Amino acid sequence: MEKKKALPILFAVMFLVMSGFGVIIPVIPFYAEEIGATPSQLGLLMAVYSLMQFIFAPVWGRVSDRYGRKPVMLIGILGLSLSFFLMALSSELWMLFVARIIGGTLSAANMPTAMAYVADITTEEDRAKGMGMIGAATGLGFIFGPAIGGVFSQASLSTPFYVAGTLSLITSLFVLFVLKESLPATGTGEGRERPSFWEAFKGTTSILFILNLCVSLSLAGLEATFAYFAFQKAGLQPTELGIIFMIMGFGSALVQGGLVGRLSKKYGEGAVIQGGIIVSVIGMGLILTLDNFLTAAIFLTIFGMGNGAIRPAVSSLLTKSAKGAHGNITGLLSSFDSLGRILGPPLGGLLFTVSIGFPYISGMILSVCALLLFQVYRMKAPGKKSFEA
């Protein structure tokens, strides 16, 4: 497959995957409540998915290095489809938990494999552009998916799960017949070099993983508390919040799909990472001052655009150090993302009970820590090509 054709196809695959995942987001709390889940059980139901992804993302990334990206991606998409159908058929709470555990375990293959695929088919110069396209596809999927789920939920609460499962099945067929394997035939199987599991966490690259965790924590804390914060500060209702998050998603996707690659090529990934952190700190500080729908939309979008620029640039830098074993390093990166999604919401909720502004102040502190970590990385990194203009 020509590399120019591969990236748009992968973009379409990840958009469909994330749209399917997003379909269930608006209805899963009500669906679980209808089955009999308490608020605390609902929290556990959401957390167990991220926990499985935290555990299994590095495993699937490593498996894709050995057996190829395409079969692992198919496992992830089909596993997601299976979990949606199981949720649609669930009549007891334990069945929902089983479905979420299966979904988290198998779908953990999707993101690290997609990023490893990008690293396989792009040059170092275009790596950030490719990673940005994956981020943009993910963001757009999370915009359109919930909107589709909201429409189909009017038929019944189980209908969006059937829609999501069917969409995932269609996506798997697209992968099977259209997407080509990115690793050469000689690059898979028993003879392929496999670094030790935590090899990617050695040396200066470990700093980038911790930096990414700080960024993920700040985002997860904001997402968990923003609805309550915006209601108390400006009386914003769920419909208005949905529109605001949609605007933020479009802004983030625009930056990832259109600007990250160009800026990284011109100034280096390091400049993009630092600029993204600074913009996200400014956005989070501005959020503390919101007082109506317009200011909430503008300030959250500023934060989203800054935050969205960081992940593709970090992914690009990390895969450049992977020496071919891209799945190993992208799996570990996805695991740190999941850890942030596990720890961020309860931490943000706890801080919110102390003061409604604390989750955002702590997010700013975490972002400053991430900026300082990158300065340490700059001083210790063996080469400066990737982050100096």
Side-chain angles (χ1 to χ4, degrees):
M1 178 189 296
E2 296 179 12
K3 293 179 180 179
K4 289 183 179 180
K5 294 180 180 179
L7 269 179
I9 292 172
L10 190 63
F11 176 93
V13 168
M14 292 309 295
F15 172 74
L16 290 171
V17 168
M18 293 305 167
S19 293
F21 182 83
V23 164
I24 71 167
I25 290 177
V27 297
I28 190 170
F30 305 102
Y31 190 69
E33 184 181 7
E34 188 178 73
I35 291 176
T38 65
S40 60
Q41 289 171 329
L42 175 60
L44 290 173
L45 188 67
M46 304 302 287
V48 73
Y49 185 89
S50 294
L51 178 61
M52 293 300 103
Q53 294 212 318
F54 168 69
I55 295 170
F56 286 98
V59 175
W60 287 119
R62 186 170 167 81
V63 169
S64 77
D65 281 336
R66 183 175 183 182
Y67 296 107
R69 315 300 183 203
K70 184 173 177 175
V72 174
M73 193 174 293
L74 278 170
I75 290 171
I77 297 171
L78 289 172
L80 198 61
S81 179
L82 174 63
S83 72
F84 290 148
F85 285 125
L86 288 174
M87 292 178 77
L89 297 170
S90 295
S91 57
E92 302 286 342
L93 187 58
W94 67 267
M95 298 171 71
L96 273 183
F97 272 96
V98 169
R100 291 291 283 177
I101 290 170
I102 291 173
T105 300
L106 297 180
S107 71
N110 290 325
M111 186 55 72
T113 308
M115 290 193 295
Y117 192 109
V118 169
D120 293 338
I121 66 172
T122 55
T123 63
E124 290 194 356
E125 187 180 37
D126 291 325
R127 184 72 47 80
K129 177 182 178 181
M131 294 297 180
M133 288 185 67
I134 295 299
T138 301
L140 290 174
F142 274 117
I143 291 170
F144 287 100
I148 295 170
V151 171
F152 280 100
S153 66
Q154 296 177 13
S156 73
L157 290 179
S158 62
T159 300
F161 295 95
Y162 287 112
V163 172
T166 303
L167 185 58
S168 295
L169 277 180
I170 294 170
T171 307
S172 69
L173 293 175
F174 187 64
V175 170
L176 181 62
F177 293 110
V178 180
L179 191 70
K180 305 299 181 182
E181 176 58 56
S182 63
L183 289 179
T186 56
T188 60
E190 296 292 337
R192 184 167 176 80
E193 178 186 356
R194 288 178 292 152
S196 62
F197 198 75
W198 288 94
E199 183 74 23
F201 200 66
K202 290 182 177 179
T204 54
T205 56
S206 62
I207 298 172
L208 293 178
F209 287 112
I210 299 171
L211 181 157
N212 193 72
L213 176 61
C214 291
V215 173
S216 180
L217 278 170
S218 65
L219 175 62
L222 179 146
E223 289 177 335
T225 60
F226 184 78
Y228 304 109
F229 180 83
F231 177 76
Q232 290 196 27
K233 290 279 288 186
L236 299 182
Q237 300 299 314
T239 302
E240 295 171 305
L241 289 169
I243 296 172
I244 288 171
F245 274 107
M246 185 178 294
I247 294 170
M248 171 192 169
F250 274 117
S252 180
L254 177 65
V255 168
Q256 292 182 84
L259 292 179
V260 168
R262 296 177 184 177
L263 293 175
S264 295
K265 185 179 289 188
K266 187 172 183 179
Y267 301 109
E269 285 92 340
V272 174
I273 292 169
Q274 294 174 92
I277 293 172
I278 292 170
V279 171
S280 64
V281 169
I282 293 171
M284 194 164 278
L286 289 171
I287 286 171
L288 290 169
T289 67
L290 68 85
D291 57 4
N292 55 44
F293 173 86
L294 181 61
T295 55
I298 293 172
F299 298 159
L300 193 66
T301 301
I302 290 172
F303 167 80
M305 293 173 76
N307 188 273
I310 301 168
R311 170 66 181 272
V314 170
S315 305
S316 177
L317 272 186
L318 282 170
T319 53
K320 288 180 181 180
S321 67
K323 299 179 181 178
H326 296 134
N328 198 42
I329 207 160
T330 56
L332 196 56
L333 181 62
S334 292
S335 186
F336 273 84
D337 263 348
S338 296
L339 182 60
R341 290 196 298 273
I342 293 169
L343 300 177
L347 177 61
L350 179 63
L351 291 171
F352 189 86
T353 60
V354 178
S355 172
I356 65 171
F358 275 11
Y360 309 96
I361 294 171
S362 69
M364 294 170 69
I365 294 171
L366 282 168
S367 297
V368 171
C369 289
L371 189 60
L372 294 175
L373 281 170
F374 189 79
Q375 307 314 311
V376 175
Y377 175 80
R378 286 186 64 183
M379 291 186 289
K380 293 188 174 183
K384 299 184 177 182
K385 180 182 177 182
S386 294
F387 45 80
E388 284 192 355

